[in-house]
Amino acid sequence: MFKGIASRALGVFALFTVVCGLGYALVVTGIAQVAFPYQANGSLIKVDDKIVGSELIGQAFTEPGHFWGRPSATAPMPYNASASGGSNLGPTNPALTDAVKARIEALRAADPGNTRPVPVDLVTASASGLDPHISPAAAAYQTERVARARDLPVAQVQALVLRHTDNPWLGLLGEPRVNVLALNLALEALPKQ
């Protein structure tokens, strides 16, 4: 009797493993590939048929002529998608305080004439450590440095930031944001002066 129950239980287990573990995954993947192929394949951005990044994962830009994104808390390198996660440092942790101070000093050193308050998203990492966006305030903070490094009029760079600012979904959900990679690619696409 026990053998019969055990063999039926194993049969049901195998059936549900195939249906739920394999069949469901294949159906959902197939629907995603048909209905949302761009998103299902990582929202990859290509320039001249070469993948330069993803809309969903930030990149470490450090040159003065580029906009810089949020700091990344991933290890061993910034924006490491396989190590997504925050630093888990609380607001009273001295290590976080020291890191924020160092980031503020680096921003001030890169643009010594800029005396405006540093936007918080330029000195703190996101929960995932991969955030590809900055706030419009963070982009505005960097506009003069980028314009000066590229020898462009500040108004032209400000207009570019405005064109690349995404507003909340349906005007309600989320915050205004600027995708750093898309903005930097738009900078690269400007005619050379």
Side-chain angles (χ1 to χ4, degrees), residues 92-104:
T92 60
N93 189 313
L96 178 63
T97 304
D98 293 343
V100 168
K101 284 180 184 174
R103 292 169 184 155
I104 290 171

Side-chain angles (χ1 to χ4, degrees), residues 102-191:
R103 292 169 184 155
I104 290 171
E105 289 173 11
L107 286 166
R108 296 279 188 220
D111 193 5
N114 192 344
T115 58
R116 290 179 285 167
V118 176
V120 70
D121 55 324
L122 285 179
V123 294
T124 56
S126 66
S128 68
L130 304 174
D131 196 348
H133 299 97
I134 56 175
S135 66
Y141 179 84
Q142 301 179 72
T143 300
E144 291 178 19
R145 170 183 49 82
V146 171
R148 194 170 42 254
R150 291 184 170 266
D151 197 27
L152 293 170
V154 173
Q156 183 179 9
V157 177
Q158 288 169 333
L160 200 60
V161 168
L162 194 57
R163 279 197 306 274
H164 285 83
T165 299
D166 297 324
N167 291 312
W169 189 65
L170 297 176
L172 300 170
L173 301 175
E175 294 290 323
R177 64 208 172 278
V178 179
N179 186 291
V180 178
L181 176 58
L183 180 58
N184 284 332
L185 288 173
L187 278 170
E188 294 296 326
L190 290 175

Side-chain angles (χ1 to χ4, degrees), residues 20-43:
C20 297
L22 185 63
Y24 175 77
L26 289 173
V27 168
V28 169
T29 301
I31 291 170
Q33 287 294 329
V34 171
F36 308 104
Y38 178 73
Q39 293 87 342
N41 292 309
S43 300

Side-chain angles (χ1 to χ4, degrees), residues 26-112:
L26 289 173
V27 168
V28 169
T29 301
I31 291 170
Q33 287 294 329
V34 171
F36 308 104
Y38 178 73
Q39 293 87 342
N41 292 309
S43 300
L44 300 176
I45 297 174
K46 293 182 181 181
V47 174
D48 298 328
D49 288 328
K50 180 182 173 200
I51 296 171
V52 295
S54 168
E55 281 185 35
L56 307 174
I57 299 175
Q59 293 186 19
F61 290 99
T62 57
E63 301 84 13
H66 284 121
F67 284 88
W68 301 343
R70 291 189 79 160
S72 175
T74 64
M77 60 193 172
Y79 304 104
N80 180 2
S82 65
S84 174
S87 68
N88 292 334
L89 299 176
T92 60
N93 189 313
L96 178 63
T97 304
D98 293 343
V100 168
K101 284 180 184 174
R103 292 169 184 155
I104 290 171
E105 289 173 11
L107 286 166
R108 296 279 188 220
D111 193 5

Side-chain angles (χ1 to χ4, degrees), residues 9-29:
L10 284 174
V12 169
F13 174 74
L15 174 70
F16 277 104
T17 298
V18 170
V19 169
C20 297
L22 185 63
Y24 175 77
L26 289 173
V27 168
V28 169
T29 301

